[in-house]
Amino acid sequence: MLKALRQFFPFVARYKVWAISVVVFVILQSAVARWLPIIVAKVIDQGIASKNLTFIKHWAIIYFLAQVASSTFLYIQTISFQKLGNKILFDIREKLLSHVQSLPTTYFDKNPTGRIVTRVTNDVSSLGAFFNQVLFSLFISFVEFFAIVIAMAFISLKLTLVCLIFSPLVAFFTLKLTRKIKIIIEQQKAKLASINAFVAENINGMSLLQLYNRVPANITKFKVNSREYKDISLKMTHNYALLWPLMHFYTALAVLISIFYGTHLKTAEFLPIGLLVAFFLYVQDINHPLTNFLENYVQLQDSLTS
């Protein structure tokens, strides 16, 4: 993975300003979003508890403005990254096509047209998904996760450590499963290239196939290849589906632990109810970057295979 990402770096380096602006706005948006549960905690502990209506109205306006700022930063970072991704994808497509056109004729004699077309079209589209969706989402998920953990630690370091105690075990099973998915994706892409090559050869040689009555036999071959591709795709779907129950179980476990241990801390260490509610909100929020990370990590495997 790191080897593939290093190959992409020269393309990103051409647009340093765009890349830096994306990083800045992602950090700003994540910081503002993490402040929202703290506002809720303040309203509960200092507003509702003391029945201070003026305080509640004041912080309600601040909450609204913070949401507007968070949405604005999210919009700017999305637009900036889409522009960056499309610029990079344009450069890659241009370089790839120039490279293919510079290859010797022996290369085209040895490699079927359908396979080359798959490389230039399907795989470039996967790279487009990588730049415009995967890389962006993975970076946001990474920043969000650590921002949430830091915010949780500021409320209670003990409670945060207890909630994260099972995370290494979950990470181990998740990485093991994603490695298996990567192997299946490689098999899937190889089979797709084979199907495209078979179809291209059949279309190019259709007059000969009809002349020698080879159409029925080739249809049978195509069905076999297509069935194998279907089986590989279903195998990937089954493994991919296992990721979500695993992540939801971890989130449910973290919520359960935070409720029981958080109640104990409220009694033993006088943790304000508002901060405890804010902590629960952070625990719920942590599910989003984790599931988003997993979903896009699988797409990352697909893109890097391309």
Side-chain angles (χ1 to χ4, degrees):
M1 186 187 302
L2 292 175
K3 182 182 178 182
L5 290 174
R6 278 197 296 269
Q7 289 179 311
F8 293 134
F9 182 77
F11 294 99
V12 180
R14 298 176 188 177
Y15 307 102
K16 291 179 183 177
V17 175
W18 284 101
I20 292 171
S21 67
V22 169
V23 173
V24 169
F25 282 109
V26 166
I27 293 172
L28 285 173
Q29 192 275 331
S30 185
V32 173
R34 301 294 77 77
W35 192 41
L36 296 175
I38 298 299
I39 296 176
V40 174
K42 281 182 174 292
V43 170
I44 293 172
D45 291 333
Q46 299 178 38
I48 297 175
S50 60
K51 297 180 180 180
N52 189 337
L53 189 59
T54 303
F55 184 90
I56 294 173
K57 289 180 179 179
H58 174 73
W59 281 96
I61 294 172
I62 293 175
Y63 184 91
F64 173 76
L65 293 175
Q67 279 282 20
V68 171
S70 177
S71 300
T72 303
F73 291 146
L74 181 62
Y75 172 77
I76 295 173
Q77 75 186 27
T78 303
I79 294 296
S80 299
F81 202 93
Q82 288 293 326
K83 288 184 177 180
L84 175 65
N86 279 288
K87 287 175 184 290
I88 292 170
L89 187 60
F90 174 82
D91 291 345
I92 289 176
R93 186 182 285 112
E94 189 178 54
K95 185 175 181 180
L96 177 60
L97 193 58
S98 299
H99 173 69
V100 170
Q101 291 175 336
S102 67
L103 292 171
T105 53
T106 52
Y107 176 84
F108 298 97
D109 293 336
K110 294 177 182 177
N111 291 276
T113 304
R115 182 171 293 142
I116 299 170
V117 171
T118 302
R119 296 288 85 84
V120 177
T121 56
N122 293 48
D123 289 340
V124 172
S125 296
S126 292
L127 287 179
F130 169 73
F131 281 110
N132 293 327
Q133 299 171 21
V134 179
L135 190 61
F136 182 53
S137 296
L138 283 175
F139 178 67
I140 290 178
S141 299
F142 182 81
V143 173
E144 275 188 353
F145 176 78
F146 282 100
I148 292 171
V149 171
I150 290 169
M152 290 166 62
F154 271 110
I155 294 175
S156 174
L157 182 59
K158 289 181 181 178
L159 189 54
T160 302
L161 292 174
V162 169
C163 287
L164 297 177
I165 195 169
F166 292 105
S167 56
L169 187 63
V170 174
F172 170 76
F173 285 112
T174 301
L175 289 173
K176 193 172 182 180
L177 191 58
T178 51
R179 287 194 186 102
K180 188 176 180 181
I181 290 172
K182 182 178 182 295
I183 294 171
I184 298 172
I185 288 174
E186 289 173 349
Q187 295 171 351
Q188 187 183 39
K189 285 191 174 293
K191 182 55 66 175
L192 179 62
S194 177
I195 290 173
N196 286 343
F198 182 82
V199 170
E201 288 170 356
N202 273 261
I203 292 174
N204 290 332
M206 186 57 68
S207 57
L208 287 174
L209 291 174
Q210 292 176 346
L211 180 64
Y212 292 99
N213 195 29
R214 291 291 303 169
V215 173
N218 279 21
I219 289 174
T220 302
K221 286 182 180 179
F222 178 79
K223 285 182 179 180
V224 171
N225 283 328
S226 186
R227 192 176 296 112
E228 289 175 353
Y229 181 76
K230 180 201 70 175
D231 292 340
I232 294 171
S233 299
L234 288 174
K235 187 178 179 182
M236 190 193 76
T237 301
H238 291 152
N239 282 277
Y240 183 59
L242 288 173
L243 289 170
W244 308 117
L246 181 66
M247 193 48 57
H248 286 302
F249 172 76
Y250 171 70
T251 305
L253 190 63
V255 171
L256 182 67
I257 292 171
S258 63
I259 289 173
F260 279 101
Y261 193 65
T263 307
H264 167 73
L265 286 180
K266 183 185 181 302
T267 306
E269 300 184 9
F270 305 104
L271 190 67
I273 186 67
L275 284 179
L276 196 57
V277 170
F279 192 90
F280 293 156
L281 291 174
Y282 284 134
V283 173
Q284 288 287 345
D285 284 346
I286 210 169
N287 183 57
H288 177 260
L290 288 177
T291 52
N292 195 39
F293 183 87
L294 280 180
E295 182 176 352
N296 286 283
Y297 185 76
V298 174
Q299 180 61 48
L300 174 68
Q301 302 286 11
D302 179 74
S303 298
L304 292 183
T305 303
S306 295

